[in-house]
Amino acid sequence: MRSSIVSHLVIFTALGFLSLGAAAPAVAQTGRIVIGSPAEPETLDPHMSASLPTWNVARNVFDSLLTRDLKTFGYKPGLAESHRVVNDTTWQFKLRRGVKFHNGEDFNAETVKFSVERVLNPEQKSASRGVNLLIDRVEIVDAYTVNIVTKKPMPMLRERFTSPGYTGTIPMVPPKYIREKGDQFFAANPVGTGAFRVVKWVKGAEVELEANPNYWGGAPKIKTAVFKIIPEPATRVSALLTGQADIISSVPPDSVDAIKRDSRVRISETDVDGIPPQIQFNTTKGGPLADLRVRQALASTIDMDLVVKRLLRGHGIQRALPLDPRAFGYNPNLPLQKPDMDKAKKLLAEAGFPNGQGIHELVMIYPTGGRYLMGESVAEYVSQQFAKVGVKVKLAPAEYGTWIAQMRDKKSFDLGMMGWGGGGRFEVGDTMFFQLHSESAYSWLNNGDFDQALDRARATMDPESRKQLYWKAQEIAYGLSAVLPAHQTNSIYGVRSDVVWEAQLGEMVLLHEATRKP
Amino acid sequence: MHVWLLKRIAYSLLTLAAISLIVFSLVRLTGDPVLLFLPPDSPTSEVERLRRQLGFDDPLAVQYTRFLRSAMAGDVGFSLKHQEPALRVVMARLPATLELATASMLLTLAIALPAGIVSAVKRNSWLDRLVMAGVVFGQSMPTYWIGIMLILVVSVWAGLLPPFGRGSLAHLVMPSVTLALFFTARIARLTRSGMLNVLRTDYVRTARAKGLGTSAVVLKHALRNAALPIVTIIGIEFGTLLGGTVITETVFAWPGLGRLAVDAISARDYPVVQTIVLLVSAMFVSINLVVDVLYRWIDPRIELG
């Protein structure tokens, strides 16, 4: 009896909702794909932002001179049909003819000059200026030929002109439109040469893109793509399950099983490119961590394979160094580090710290809020492992903005977790500089041999010699045990079963090839 | 009355000025937006250059004076993050917040006032206990949990309402129910206790003795006299709702001010943070002003001034 009252109540309530439910949008129609993203684009002017949500949309709207083969990481023609190295400081690009911006404006040599100068102009306050300071100028040879001249040899120049790019890449923007309408208007109403054009942007809620039928790379297979902002992971998963979203990013590992069980949806994942979250030792402020044996001992307590299997539930992979194996210059010969407690204890004793005696409590900083997949758990695991050899760790998690300022403080902390996932640097030079070079604001290493090897690599134009130099620099870094055994995390997507799309490098959501099964 | 109103408005402006100073200094204590704006491998020289260019290396007093001067001219600053004037960033999100706050408040009142009145009239009956237990239960459950549960049951299992977003009336249902569940308890309990006090008074007995019906006594005589504290608390709760409700907005992907504020704080987007705080404070102060005026209307014996 009781149960029937309850069920009546449920039905009654349900009916009440039903009348309102009629207004709910139906399942997405063919030709339209909805992407559920955790965060909103801040602006859609790609020169003015280094944030992933901005670039995730902008990559579908803007192009640069080259494009990247997402399988091999190699360069393919883009807005430039060919390019060549004229001399150590001059690159020549032959541009594609007949390309038009979404507003009909022509793409030509003037566009390239304008786009590069816009990024480099200090008054523009472009986010990408600082990483492009080696570029000196753009010379227009003819309407469809440009020379890009650098102040010094810049072997990684092509990285800055390859789409889909990320921070530091220089996408092509329309000179006439921006001059006439102004920067602010452009940021809200962007016009590119890309596969999609922006048709609607409801702030805080969604950005709607429409296929560019005249795209130089071929028209997209779908007509409409909508990026909807859904910050809460559980809601994103619900949106996927109810068909309100076709692709959702950043699926929490504990929701993966629920998605796998449901035949209407599936999981697609790939390892994040760039620098996997690493834990670095502060070797620059003296004390026990300046001793190589102490660092090696502590590194030997970590079983990164176990971390990946248990904490990350298999959504990652162990690496010798925090680098992406697909990036140009990655040294595949460095062995993965194995845990060895006996070795750890022996090395500590040798260094004069038997059972950790004499080592002060180490302070570890890392960001909160799930910035790195299971990052908080990894930090806790590390502190427990160190405790097994008598070394205490004080966990000091901080909010992102605070933590990033702390990472630049080379004097106050002992261990720091940092990554640069989806950084869009597809050659190891930038990432290695960022994490280990003494001149980088975020590096806690100061080693002359390493700096020299990396500096030479970053200035060597010949690819084969450059690769050898990168390898050498990685061997030095590996020998220095400047970072704990590394792991690379996956970016996990949930996808409706009838949508043809797979997880892409660099946390990209490129929709040019995406389609829906008939 | 006019003198009183002018005085109140002057106090309100002073309050806002004080708030602006506090927010201005607090938000700057936490670092500046430049590090979060530039890619991590930008050279330190570039970080310093941009800081100088944006005036973040000036003394706080200089920055504050600059802010006040342009604010007087109607310019509350430019958001580096959004590449847009801060006021425009904030205003784009205001309608969503107003909509959700109004809907939640109406729903809250629609539940809380009848619940409080019925409980008072039928005090200590099973109905009274059931209603009061119900509203307290609603408040006790974490908003986050209720939101997720509603989405699971109503959207995922039953397929009745869209799980997130804004647009139609259907989108508004679950977020406002979630908020109303939380805000109902206080108003319902206050209504109940206020009514209980009034129902005991002599003039209510007199009204009854005159032969007036229960509803007339309760609604016309008792409720009006019990209304003062209720109106106050409604004002405060509505102000809170206008300030944005971060958790509900996050769970239902509602594009309101609360989420914008949290994002702006994370990015150290000073102009947006300041604009939101000032706008919300202004609305809060205005509501209080309205409440004070309402006092006099409800109870003409109250002297203003």
Side-chain angles (χ1 to χ4, degrees):
Chain A
M1 185 62 204
R2 178 171 291 247
S3 71
S4 86
I5 289 176
V6 171
S7 64
H8 275 97
L9 200 66
V10 168
I11 290 168
F12 178 74
T13 320
L15 284 175
F17 279 126
L18 200 59
S19 53
L20 289 163
V27 178
Q29 72 219 56
T30 315
R32 181 172 186 263
I33 286 183
V34 175
I35 303 97
S37 310
E40 182 189 24
E42 299 169 344
T43 166
L44 286 176
D45 181 342
H47 290 177
M48 299 307 293
S49 176
S51 98
L52 186 64
T54 290
W55 280 83
N56 251 342
V57 176
R59 281 160 172 162
N60 289 288
V61 178
F62 295 94
D63 298 309
S64 197
L65 300 180
L66 306 172
T67 56
R68 191 174 312 279
D69 186 315
L70 292 180
K71 293 204 173 63
T72 64
F73 261 40
Y75 302 110
K76 292 195 302 187
L79 289 174
E81 281 179 323
S82 66
H83 67 277
R84 67 186 181 98
V85 178
V86 178
N87 58 48
D88 272 5
T89 54
T90 308
W91 296 71
Q92 187 168 81
F93 292 85
K94 293 268 183 201
L95 307 180
R96 193 179 291 273
R97 286 159 197 261
V99 175
K100 286 191 189 301
F101 281 92
H102 300 144
N103 65 341
E105 190 172 331
D106 284 325
F107 166 79
N108 52 37
E110 169 64 25
T111 315
V112 181
K113 190 172 160 67
F114 174 83
S115 300
V116 173
E117 285 175 355
R118 185 170 187 258
V119 164
L120 293 180
N121 176 9
E123 291 308 311
Q124 181 66 32
K125 306 185 193 107
S126 165
S128 304
R129 180 176 184 267
V131 290
N132 284 302
L133 290 173
L134 273 186
I135 299 175
D136 186 50
R137 62 185 189 276
V138 176
E139 290 169 352
I140 295 178
V141 178
D142 62 49
Y144 291 96
T145 311
V146 291
N147 284 345
I148 300 180
V149 183
T150 61
K151 292 171 188 159
K152 283 184 204 162
M154 186 179 167
M156 280 183 283
L157 179 114
R158 285 180 299 181
E159 287 294 305
R160 307 289 191 254
F161 291 96
T162 301
S163 54
Y166 189 22
T167 60
T169 315
I170 304 182
M172 295 299 124
V173 297
K176 195 159 158 267
Y177 182 78
I178 293 178
R179 282 193 193 117
E180 274 170 17
K181 307 271 186 178
D183 284 335
Q184 278 183 44
F185 186 86
F186 172 67
N189 305 276
V191 160
T193 55
F196 290 87
R197 62 189 189 93
V198 177
V199 287
K200 198 172 90 185
W201 183 4
V202 184
K203 294 288 166 69
E206 62 181 61
V207 183
E208 187 175 321
L209 308 181
E210 197 181 83
N212 171 8
N214 306 317
Y215 184 50
W216 58 267
K221 293 172 179 161
I222 49 166
K223 185 157 190 333
T224 314
V226 188
F227 282 83
K228 292 203 176 191
I229 318 310
I230 315 175
E232 165 57 39
T235 313
R236 273 202 305 285
V237 173
S238 301
L240 179 74
L241 294 175
T242 53
Q244 302 260 329
D246 300 300
I247 300 171
I248 57 166
S249 52
S250 305
V251 173
D254 56 9
S255 298
V256 166
D257 287 343
I259 291 176
K260 281 184 172 165
R261 271 199 301 273
D262 191 325
S263 65
R264 298 167 303 169
V265 290
R266 64 192 171 91
I267 288 287
S268 179
E269 63 182 303
T270 184
D271 29 4
V272 175
D273 70 282
I275 303 180
Q278 55 168 338
I279 295 176
Q280 60 195 45
F281 290 114
N282 193 343
T283 66
T284 57
K285 62 169 204 172
L289 291 181
D291 188 325
L292 175 63
R293 291 167 299 185
V294 174
R295 298 199 298 270
Q296 284 171 337
L298 293 175
S300 303
T301 65
I302 303 301
D303 186 346
M304 211 26 100
D305 192 45
L306 190 77
V307 166
V308 169
K309 285 196 180 110
R310 295 279 169 79
L311 294 182
L312 272 68
R313 300 193 191 199
H315 302 290
I317 188 165
Q318 188 186 351
R319 297 285 182 220
L321 281 177
L323 291 172
D324 189 302
R326 294 160 299 194
F328 177 83
Y330 178 84
N331 185 341
N333 306 320
L334 303 174
L336 297 179
Q337 297 183 62
K338 300 257 183 309
D340 187 342
M341 279 294 175
D342 295 333
K343 182 180 159 199
K345 287 175 183 156
K346 209 174 118 235
L347 280 166
L348 275 182
E350 274 175 34
F353 306 104
N355 297 318
Q357 282 164 18
I359 298 183
H360 60 95
E361 191 181 44
L362 304 177
V363 179
M364 168 149 48
I365 55 174
Y366 53 98
T368 52
R371 183 163 185 88
Y372 302 125
L373 194 68
M374 308 308 289
E376 285 98 330
S377 309
V378 173
E380 283 155 21
Y381 165 80
V382 167
S383 76
Q384 286 164 17
Q385 292 304 103
F386 284 13
K388 288 180 184 167
V389 292
V391 175
K392 286 201 191 81
V393 176
K394 185 182 168 202
L395 297 176
E399 175 271 336
Y400 177 69
T402 308
W403 159 82
I404 202 164
Q406 288 175 343
M407 286 301 300
R408 296 171 74 91
D409 170 356
K410 302 191 183 202
K411 289 282 158 249
S412 304
F413 309 98
D414 306 294
L415 296 156
M417 185 189 292
M418 182 160 218
W420 189 11
R425 300 289 201 272
F426 297 89
E427 176 162 335
V428 295
D430 282 342
T431 45
M432 288 179 72
F433 182 89
F434 161 75
Q435 60 185 332
L436 295 169
H437 196 284
S438 65
E439 283 168 28
S440 160
Y442 297 96
S443 154
W444 287 357
L445 179 70
N446 187 353
N447 183 279
D449 292 344
F450 174 81
D451 284 0
Q452 208 185 359
L454 187 59
D455 287 342
R456 275 188 61 201
R458 278 162 54 96
T460 301
M461 291 292 282
D462 175 55
E464 191 50 39
S465 328
R466 186 157 83 253
K467 191 173 89 181
Q468 295 301 329
L469 287 163
Y470 279 140
W471 284 20
K472 192 179 154 217
Q474 282 162 68
E475 279 158 23
I476 296 172
Y478 189 81
L480 287 170
S481 255
V483 294
L484 283 177
H487 69 283
Q488 195 164 12
T489 56
N490 286 2
S491 42
I492 312 171
Y493 296 84
V495 187
R496 293 292 291 183
S497 299
D498 63 339
V499 169
V500 184
W501 181 88
E502 295 305 329
Q504 293 153 339
L505 299 171
E507 302 179 63
M508 295 176 195
V509 184
L510 300 173
L511 297 160
H512 181 219
E513 301 288 330
T515 178
R516 207 175 262 283
K517 283 180 199 158
Chain B
M1 173 82 183
H2 288 297
V3 178
W4 169 82
L5 200 62
L6 285 176
K7 246 194 214 166
R8 277 303 310 261
I9 290 172
Y11 283 139
S12 303
L13 288 176
L14 257 171
T15 311
L16 288 179
I19 289 170
S20 82
L21 181 60
I22 294 168
V23 179
F24 193 90
S25 340
L26 273 186
V27 75
R28 273 167 178 74
L29 284 179
T30 62
D32 67 51
V34 171
L35 280 185
L36 301 161
F37 172 73
L38 294 176
D41 56 344
S42 296
T44 306
S45 60
E46 182 70 6
V47 175
E48 297 304 330
R49 193 191 62 77
L50 197 57
R51 265 187 193 144
R52 254 194 326 276
Q53 203 174 2
L54 296 168
F56 293 143
D57 58 346
D58 292 335
L60 213 57
V62 175
Q63 293 189 47
Y64 185 64
T65 321
R66 194 162 50 213
F67 163 71
L68 275 189
R69 199 173 299 143
S70 52
M72 295 294 176
D75 173 12
V76 287
F78 187 80
S79 163
L80 182 65
K81 176 180 160 180
H82 294 280
Q83 294 293 311
E84 242 188 328
L87 192 62
R88 214 158 71 197
V89 174
V90 174
M91 283 308 174
R93 307 287 277 265
L94 189 62
T97 288
L98 287 178
E99 180 183 313
L100 182 57
T102 310
S104 316
M105 203 65 235
L106 289 178
L107 196 60
T108 301
L109 293 181
I111 306 169
L113 292 182
I117 294 168
V118 165
S119 286
V121 173
K122 307 270 178 197
R123 66 173 171 280
N124 296 332
S125 68
W126 65 271
L127 187 64
D128 174 22
R129 294 204 183 99
L130 185 74
V131 168
M132 281 302 120
V135 296
V136 171
F137 186 65
Q139 188 180 31
S140 316
M141 283 188 294
T143 306
Y144 172 81
W145 185 81
I146 291 188
I148 301 276
M149 279 301 140
L150 277 177
I151 291 177
L152 274 184
V153 174
V154 179
S155 300
V156 179
W157 292 348
L160 295 174
L161 290 171
F164 72 96
R166 174 176 178 240
S168 65
L169 189 59
H171 287 99
L172 191 56
V173 175
M174 290 199 292
S176 27
V177 166
T178 306
L179 285 171
L181 279 177
F182 181 79
F183 283 95
T184 294
R186 243 197 310 188
I187 297 181
R189 286 165 58 91
L190 208 67
T191 308
R192 180 180 180 271
S193 60
M195 289 294 286
L196 280 180
N197 283 336
V198 175
L199 286 174
R200 280 192 214 109
T201 54
D202 292 343
Y203 60 84
V204 169
R205 204 173 342 137
T206 312
R208 281 223 173 95
K210 265 195 335 192
L212 282 180
T214 312
S215 62
V217 172
V218 169
L219 295 179
K220 230 180 133 186
H221 294 269
L223 185 59
R224 182 154 181 185
N225 283 293
L228 283 189
I230 303 175
V231 170
T232 311
I233 204 82
I234 290 173
I236 293 174
E237 297 205 336
F238 191 57
T240 310
L241 281 167
L242 285 177
T245 42
V246 180
I247 296 173
T248 308
E249 284 177 16
T250 304
V251 168
F252 293 103
W254 191 265
L257 282 181
R259 243 172 68 210
L260 180 68
V262 170
D263 289 348
I265 292 167
S266 310
R268 313 296 192 260
D269 193 353
Y270 303 152
V272 172
V273 177
Q274 284 156 201
T275 308
I276 294 177
V277 173
L278 281 178
L279 183 74
V280 171
S281 312
M283 291 194 291
F284 212 102
V285 168
S286 318
I287 290 172
N288 274 333
L289 202 62
V290 172
V291 166
D292 283 354
V293 175
L294 275 181
Y295 268 26
R296 198 183 155 97
W297 177 73
I298 293 169
D299 187 347
R301 288 169 305 176
I302 291 179
E303 285 286 325
L304 296 176

PDB file of all heavy atoms in Angstrom, chain A residues 324-341:
ATOM      1  N   ASP A 324      56.883  14.629 -24.110  1.00  0.00           N
ATOM      2  CA  ASP A 324      55.998  13.847 -24.957  1.00  0.00           C
ATOM      3  C   ASP A 324      56.818  13.087 -25.997  1.00  0.00           C
ATOM      4  O   ASP A 324      57.593  13.682 -26.731  1.00  0.00           O
ATOM      5  CB  ASP A 324      55.012  14.781 -25.649  1.00  0.00           C
ATOM      6  CG  ASP A 324      53.943  13.993 -26.372  1.00  0.00           C
ATOM      7  OD1 ASP A 324      54.294  13.176 -27.251  1.00  0.00           O
ATOM      8  OD2 ASP A 324      52.766  14.172 -26.052  1.00  0.00           O
ATOM      9  N   PRO A 325      56.682  11.764 -26.067  1.00  0.00           N
ATOM     10  CA  PRO A 325      57.489  10.969 -26.991  1.00  0.00           C
ATOM     11  C   PRO A 325      57.247  11.329 -28.452  1.00  0.00           C
ATOM     12  O   PRO A 325      58.079  11.025 -29.309  1.00  0.00           O
ATOM     13  CB  PRO A 325      57.049   9.533 -26.731  1.00  0.00           C
ATOM     14  CG  PRO A 325      56.043   9.569 -25.680  1.00  0.00           C
ATOM     15  CD  PRO A 325      55.745  10.965 -25.285  1.00  0.00           C
ATOM     16  N   ARG A 326      56.104  11.955 -28.744  1.00  0.00           N
ATOM     17  CA  ARG A 326      55.817  12.268 -30.144  1.00  0.00           C
ATOM     18  C   ARG A 326      56.458  13.580 -30.584  1.00  0.00           C
ATOM     19  O   ARG A 326      56.512  13.894 -31.757  1.00  0.00           O
ATOM     20  CB  ARG A 326      54.310  12.344 -30.356  1.00  0.00           C
ATOM     21  CG  ARG A 326      53.622  10.996 -30.165  1.00  0.00           C
ATOM     22  CD  ARG A 326      52.151  11.175 -29.904  1.00  0.00           C
ATOM     23  NE  ARG A 326      51.906  11.946 -28.688  1.00  0.00           N
ATOM     24  CZ  ARG A 326      50.739  12.019 -28.088  1.00  0.00           C
ATOM     25  NH1 ARG A 326      49.704  11.385 -28.580  1.00  0.00           N
ATOM     26  NH2 ARG A 326      50.591  12.725 -26.996  1.00  0.00           N
ATOM     27  N   ALA A 327      56.927  14.361 -29.599  1.00  0.00           N
ATOM     28  CA  ALA A 327      57.507  15.661 -29.948  1.00  0.00           C
ATOM     29  C   ALA A 327      58.865  15.459 -30.608  1.00  0.00           C
ATOM     30  O   ALA A 327      59.615  14.540 -30.249  1.00  0.00           O
ATOM     31  CB  ALA A 327      57.642  16.516 -28.697  1.00  0.00           C
ATOM     32  N   PHE A 328      59.193  16.334 -31.548  1.00  0.00           N
ATOM     33  CA  PHE A 328      60.483  16.236 -32.223  1.00  0.00           C
ATOM     34  C   PHE A 328      61.609  16.419 -31.204  1.00  0.00           C
ATOM     35  O   PHE A 328      61.589  17.347 -30.397  1.00  0.00           O
ATOM     36  CB  PHE A 328      60.608  17.312 -33.306  1.00  0.00           C
ATOM     37  CG  PHE A 328      61.949  17.312 -33.981  1.00  0.00           C
ATOM     38  CD1 PHE A 328      62.216  16.428 -35.017  1.00  0.00           C
ATOM     39  CD2 PHE A 328      62.957  18.171 -33.551  1.00  0.00           C
ATOM     40  CE1 PHE A 328      63.456  16.406 -35.631  1.00  0.00           C
ATOM     41  CE2 PHE A 328      64.205  18.155 -34.159  1.00  0.00           C
ATOM     42  CZ  PHE A 328      64.460  17.271 -35.203  1.00  0.00           C
ATOM     43  N   GLY A 329      62.593  15.504 -31.255  1.00  0.00           N
ATOM     44  CA  GLY A 329      63.744  15.630 -30.374  1.00  0.00           C
ATOM     45  C   GLY A 329      63.658  14.778 -29.113  1.00  0.00           C
ATOM     46  O   GLY A 329      64.542  14.817 -28.274  1.00  0.00           O
ATOM     47  N   TYR A 330      62.599  13.972 -28.991  1.00  0.00           N
ATOM     48  CA  TYR A 330      62.452  13.136 -27.797  1.00  0.00           C
ATOM     49  C   TYR A 330      63.461  11.989 -27.847  1.00  0.00           C
ATOM     50  O   TYR A 330      63.634  11.341 -28.875  1.00  0.00           O
ATOM     51  CB  TYR A 330      61.029  12.577 -27.742  1.00  0.00           C
ATOM     52  CG  TYR A 330      60.765  11.655 -26.577  1.00  0.00           C
ATOM     53  CD1 TYR A 330      60.423  12.176 -25.330  1.00  0.00           C
ATOM     54  CD2 TYR A 330      60.846  10.267 -26.716  1.00  0.00           C
ATOM     55  CE1 TYR A 330      60.169  11.334 -24.254  1.00  0.00           C
ATOM     56  CE2 TYR A 330      60.592   9.428 -25.650  1.00  0.00           C
ATOM     57  CZ  TYR A 330      60.256   9.966 -24.423  1.00  0.00           C
ATOM     58  OH  TYR A 330      60.000   9.134 -23.364  1.00  0.00           O
ATOM     59  N   ASN A 331      64.134  11.756 -26.763  1.00  0.00           N
ATOM     60  CA  ASN A 331      65.127  10.691 -26.690  1.00  0.00           C
ATOM     61  C   ASN A 331      64.477   9.397 -26.195  1.00  0.00           C
ATOM     62  O   ASN A 331      64.136   9.282 -25.020  1.00  0.00           O
ATOM     63  CB  ASN A 331      66.254  11.110 -25.729  1.00  0.00           C
ATOM     64  CG  ASN A 331      67.374  10.092 -25.702  1.00  0.00           C
ATOM     65  OD1 ASN A 331      67.197   8.938 -26.088  1.00  0.00           O
ATOM     66  ND2 ASN A 331      68.543  10.527 -25.254  1.00  0.00           N
ATOM     67  N   PRO A 332      64.313   8.431 -27.089  1.00  0.00           N
ATOM     68  CA  PRO A 332      63.584   7.210 -26.699  1.00  0.00           C
ATOM     69  C   PRO A 332      64.457   6.206 -25.953  1.00  0.00           C
ATOM     70  O   PRO A 332      63.970   5.151 -25.551  1.00  0.00           O
ATOM     71  CB  PRO A 332      63.145   6.640 -28.054  1.00  0.00           C
ATOM     72  CG  PRO A 332      64.179   7.121 -29.020  1.00  0.00           C
ATOM     73  CD  PRO A 332      64.745   8.408 -28.484  1.00  0.00           C
ATOM     74  N   ASN A 333      65.751   6.523 -25.774  1.00  0.00           N
ATOM     75  CA  ASN A 333      66.660   5.518 -25.208  1.00  0.00           C
ATOM     76  C   ASN A 333      66.766   5.551 -23.691  1.00  0.00           C
ATOM     77  O   ASN A 333      67.462   4.730 -23.109  1.00  0.00           O
ATOM     78  CB  ASN A 333      68.060   5.694 -25.810  1.00  0.00           C
ATOM     79  CG  ASN A 333      68.019   5.686 -27.328  1.00  0.00           C
ATOM     80  OD1 ASN A 333      67.265   4.895 -27.909  1.00  0.00           O
ATOM     81  ND2 ASN A 333      68.773   6.562 -27.962  1.00  0.00           N
ATOM     82  N   LEU A 334      66.115   6.519 -23.061  1.00  0.00           N
ATOM     83  CA  LEU A 334      66.246   6.604 -21.607  1.00  0.00           C
ATOM     84  C   LEU A 334      65.293   5.616 -20.944  1.00  0.00           C
ATOM     85  O   LEU A 334      64.113   5.575 -21.264  1.00  0.00           O
ATOM     86  CB  LEU A 334      65.932   8.029 -21.143  1.00  0.00           C
ATOM     87  CG  LEU A 334      66.800   9.117 -21.779  1.00  0.00           C
ATOM     88  CD1 LEU A 334      66.308  10.495 -21.373  1.00  0.00           C
ATOM     89  CD2 LEU A 334      68.257   8.930 -21.383  1.00  0.00           C
ATOM     90  N   PRO A 335      65.824   4.776 -20.035  1.00  0.00           N
ATOM     91  CA  PRO A 335      64.969   3.741 -19.429  1.00  0.00           C
ATOM     92  C   PRO A 335      64.001   4.324 -18.385  1.00  0.00           C
ATOM     93  O   PRO A 335      64.297   5.341 -17.756  1.00  0.00           O
ATOM     94  CB  PRO A 335      65.976   2.803 -18.759  1.00  0.00           C
ATOM     95  CG  PRO A 335      67.172   3.660 -18.490  1.00  0.00           C
ATOM     96  CD  PRO A 335      67.198   4.728 -19.540  1.00  0.00           C
ATOM     97  N   LEU A 336      62.850   3.675 -18.237  1.00  0.00           N
ATOM     98  CA  LEU A 336      61.914   4.064 -17.178  1.00  0.00           C
ATOM     99  C   LEU A 336      62.522   3.728 -15.825  1.00  0.00           C
ATOM    100  O   LEU A 336      63.194   2.714 -15.680  1.00  0.00           O
ATOM    101  CB  LEU A 336      60.594   3.297 -17.348  1.00  0.00           C
ATOM    102  CG  LEU A 336      59.813   3.556 -18.632  1.00  0.00           C
ATOM    103  CD1 LEU A 336      58.547   2.698 -18.653  1.00  0.00           C
ATOM    104  CD2 LEU A 336      59.454   5.030 -18.745  1.00  0.00           C
ATOM    105  N   GLN A 337      62.282   4.581 -14.840  1.00  0.00           N
ATOM    106  CA  GLN A 337      62.869   4.316 -13.526  1.00  0.00           C
ATOM    107  C   GLN A 337      61.996   3.345 -12.745  1.00  0.00           C
ATOM    108  O   GLN A 337      60.783   3.436 -12.763  1.00  0.00           O
ATOM    109  CB  GLN A 337      63.004   5.625 -12.749  1.00  0.00           C
ATOM    110  CG  GLN A 337      63.948   6.596 -13.447  1.00  0.00           C
ATOM    111  CD  GLN A 337      64.130   7.858 -12.646  1.00  0.00           C
ATOM    112  OE1 GLN A 337      64.616   7.841 -11.536  1.00  0.00           O
ATOM    113  NE2 GLN A 337      63.701   8.980 -13.223  1.00  0.00           N
ATOM    114  N   LYS A 338      62.675   2.416 -12.067  1.00  0.00           N
ATOM    115  CA  LYS A 338      61.955   1.410 -11.286  1.00  0.00           C
ATOM    116  C   LYS A 338      62.110   1.716  -9.796  1.00  0.00           C
ATOM    117  O   LYS A 338      63.138   2.238  -9.370  1.00  0.00           O
ATOM    118  CB  LYS A 338      62.550   0.022 -11.563  1.00  0.00           C
ATOM    119  CG  LYS A 338      62.466  -0.417 -13.020  1.00  0.00           C
ATOM    120  CD  LYS A 338      61.343  -1.424 -13.206  1.00  0.00           C
ATOM    121  CE  LYS A 338      61.247  -1.955 -14.621  1.00  0.00           C
ATOM    122  NZ  LYS A 338      61.198  -0.945 -15.677  1.00  0.00           N
ATOM    123  N   PRO A 339      61.084   1.384  -9.005  1.00  0.00           N
ATOM    124  CA  PRO A 339      61.208   1.626  -7.565  1.00  0.00           C
ATOM    125  C   PRO A 339      62.227   0.669  -6.940  1.00  0.00           C
ATOM    126  O   PRO A 339      62.345  -0.480  -7.380  1.00  0.00           O
ATOM    127  CB  PRO A 339      59.795   1.329  -7.043  1.00  0.00           C
ATOM    128  CG  PRO A 339      59.203   0.421  -8.059  1.00  0.00           C
ATOM    129  CD  PRO A 339      59.807   0.774  -9.380  1.00  0.00           C
ATOM    130  N   ASP A 340      62.981   1.149  -5.982  1.00  0.00           N
ATOM    131  CA  ASP A 340      63.978   0.314  -5.321  1.00  0.00           C
ATOM    132  C   ASP A 340      64.247   0.905  -3.933  1.00  0.00           C
ATOM    133  O   ASP A 340      65.074   1.800  -3.773  1.00  0.00           O
ATOM    134  CB  ASP A 340      65.258   0.281  -6.168  1.00  0.00           C
ATOM    135  CG  ASP A 340      66.284  -0.709  -5.615  1.00  0.00           C
ATOM    136  OD1 ASP A 340      66.156  -1.087  -4.421  1.00  0.00           O
ATOM    137  OD2 ASP A 340      67.200  -1.092  -6.366  1.00  0.00           O
ATOM    138  N   MET A 341      63.535   0.391  -2.926  1.00  0.00           N
ATOM    139  CA  MET A 341      63.622   0.949  -1.577  1.00  0.00           C
ATOM    140  C   MET A 341      65.005   0.740  -0.968  1.00  0.00           C
ATOM    141  O   MET A 341      65.512   1.599  -0.243  1.00  0.00           O
ATOM    142  CB  MET A 341      62.556   0.313  -0.684  1.00  0.00           C
ATOM    143  CG  MET A 341      61.186   0.941  -0.865  1.00  0.00           C
ATOM    144  SD  MET A 341      61.195   2.669  -0.291  1.00  0.00           S
ATOM    145  CE  MET A 341      59.552   3.169  -0.746  1.00  0.00           C
TER     146      MET A 341
END
